[in-house]
């Protein structure tokens, strides 16, 4: 039986709760102004509801969320995030990694773990990145690029220790005959401006080049993206990005969507097909494209 996996990202849950004055510290001030001026017109709770309803109707074997549940990392946003995750499914059925907005200010860096920790766990139960969760033929490898950054910066960083552990993890899993899915918020390859980049993307690409993976899933740029990364021995690894799951029609380059993967075959002969379903101008969620990535 093929295994099905749904991927959504960057829900940026709306509405933004009214912050207390004491919570408007540091970068949250510009973030709050930005939300009021621009982002509240983009991230639409009704659009997200439609995306989630459609996604749940597809009854995927597992769901992954690649970060940015919040906007300016307010305590109330993390509570909302937990509620929303519980609506998606149980930690057995849903895997989450954090995005840069979930570490918007230094004061919030422990909040994803505190509020969503059970959704960010591997089989060993340790709250550490990378984590590895096995589901069917899949090994989900969760990374964190979420680090607090100065105002107007949205960069991400894996860091040397995490990159080293990622290399060891991918190498070990290569012997286990599993379909390795790497979850990372920031895209390893992007045309976005420098202030949004993954600062150690070269290190990530080096690890993939050495040890490979079957699929890399990311968010962050809020766009449909597909880049082929170089794996070992001439292999190629698809890195696929998905738009924000709450982006209203015509407010962004790509309106809200999610990707649905059907994975079959066996080690050395995997098959992987992707279907994108997204919001149409009429406000319905419909299939937008179908792509054979492997096999
Ligand atoms: Fe985002």
């Amino acid at each position: 039986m093929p295994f099905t996996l749904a991927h959504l990202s960057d829900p940026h849950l709306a509405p933004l709760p009214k912050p207390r004055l004491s919570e408007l510290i540091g970068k949250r001030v510009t973030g709050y102004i930005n939300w009021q001026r621009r982002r509240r017109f983009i991230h639409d709770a009704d659009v997200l509801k439609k995306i989630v309803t459609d996604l749940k109707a597809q009854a995927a074997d597992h769901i992954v969320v690649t970060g940015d549940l919040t906007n300016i990392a307010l305590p109330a946003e993390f509570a909302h995030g937990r509620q929303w995750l519980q609506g998606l499914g149980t930690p057995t059925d849903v895997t989450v990694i954090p995005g840069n907005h979930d570490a918007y200010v230094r004061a919030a860096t422990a909040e994803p773990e505190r509020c969503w920790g059970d959704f960010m766990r591997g089989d060993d139960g340790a709250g550490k990145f990378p984590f590895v969760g096995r589901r069917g033929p899949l090994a989900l490898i969760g990374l964190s690029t979420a680090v607090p950054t100065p105002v107007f910066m949205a960069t991400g960083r894996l860091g040397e220790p995490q990159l080293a552990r990622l290399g060891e993890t991918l190498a070990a899993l290569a012997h286990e005959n599993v379909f390795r899915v790497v979850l990372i918020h920031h895209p390893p390859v992007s045309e976005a401006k420098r202030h949004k980049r993954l600062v150690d993307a070269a290190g990530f690409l080096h690890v993939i080049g050495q040890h490979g993976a079957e699929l890399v899933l990311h968010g962050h740029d809020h766009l449909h993206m597909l880049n082929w990364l170089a794996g070992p021995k001439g292999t190629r690894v698809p890195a696929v990005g998905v738009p924000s799951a709450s982006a209203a029609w015509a407010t962004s380059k790509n309106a809200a969507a999610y990707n649905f993967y059907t994975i079959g075959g066996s080690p050395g002969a995997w098959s992987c097909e992707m279907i994108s379903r997204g919001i149409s101008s009429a406000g319905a969620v419909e299939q937008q494209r179908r792509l054979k990535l492997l096999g």
Side-chain angles (χ1 to χ4, degrees):
M1 281 287 284
F3 190 90
T4 55
L5 178 70
H7 172 215
L8 76 164
S9 197
D10 300 74
H12 291 291
L13 297 172
L16 184 67
K18 196 167 169 48
R20 294 193 193 122
L21 211 54
S22 61
E23 290 170 344
L24 278 180
I25 48 165
K27 195 176 166 180
R28 279 197 188 128
V29 177
T30 47
Y32 184 65
I33 294 168
N34 196 15
W35 173 265
Q36 294 298 350
R37 281 198 186 151
R38 198 176 64 87
R39 293 175 71 98
R40 70 188 168 108
F41 303 109
I42 298 172
H43 299 294
D44 186 311
D46 289 335
V47 167
L48 179 62
K49 214 173 274 175
K50 284 182 185 175
I51 288 285
V52 169
T53 301
D54 189 86
L55 182 149
K56 288 178 85 168
Q58 305 295 321
D61 292 317
H62 197 74
I63 300 169
V64 292
V65 185
T66 47
D68 277 5
L69 280 68
T70 69
N71 297 286
I72 56 173
L74 291 167
E77 289 189 278
F78 285 100
H80 187 186
R82 173 148 197 95
Q83 222 176 31
W84 181 75
L85 286 173
Q86 286 173 327
L88 264 189
T90 66
T92 309
D93 298 325
V94 181
T95 298
V96 181
I97 57 164
N100 53 299
H101 280 260
D102 307 321
Y104 208 66
V105 291
R106 202 163 291 278
T109 46
E111 290 301 284
E113 172 58 32
R114 197 176 69 78
C115 298
W116 318 326
D118 46 348
F119 289 91
M120 304 196 300
R121 284 283 181 279
D123 300 331
D124 63 3
K128 203 172 175 191
F129 298 99
F131 62 76
V132 180
R134 289 169 183 75
R135 299 288 187 282
L138 271 54
L140 301 165
I141 301 127
L143 299 173
S144 176
T145 57
V147 286
T149 55
V151 177
F152 304 125
M153 297 293 280
T155 48
R157 182 187 295 274
L158 288 158
E160 275 304 324
Q162 190 178 187
L163 277 169
R165 287 195 299 273
L166 174 64
E168 291 159 16
T169 302
L170 290 174
L173 290 171
H175 300 295
E176 277 192 37
N177 297 336
V178 286
F179 187 97
R180 298 165 296 175
V181 183
V182 177
L183 310 174
I184 181 168
H185 178 70
H186 288 75
V189 177
S190 170
E191 288 173 9
K193 296 198 177 106
R194 278 181 62 80
H195 73 274
K196 289 187 72 177
R197 77 196 193 283
L198 175 64
V199 295
D200 44 9
F204 178 81
L205 294 174
H206 180 73
V207 170
I208 296 294
Q210 274 193 314
H211 305 291
E214 277 59 52
L215 183 62
V216 175
L217 301 180
H218 67 80
H220 190 60
D221 283 9
H222 297 191
L223 292 173
H224 284 292
M225 291 167 68
L226 170 61
N227 283 284
W228 289 91
L229 314 182
K233 298 177 193 155
T235 54
R236 296 193 313 154
V237 180
V240 188
V242 70
S244 158
S246 61
W249 179 261
T251 60
S252 313
K253 226 179 197 178
N254 289 159
Y258 69 93
N259 289 335
F260 186 87
Y261 295 88
T262 303
I263 295 153
S266 53
W270 294 112
S271 66
C272 177
E273 186 186 71
M274 182 189 88
I275 287 171
S276 295
R277 293 181 63 83
I279 200 100
S280 71
S281 55
V285 179
E286 55 189 32
Q287 185 173 321
Q288 294 171 330
R289 66 173 174 169
R290 188 184 207 114
L291 206 59
K292 208 159 181 55
L293 293 171
L294 300 173

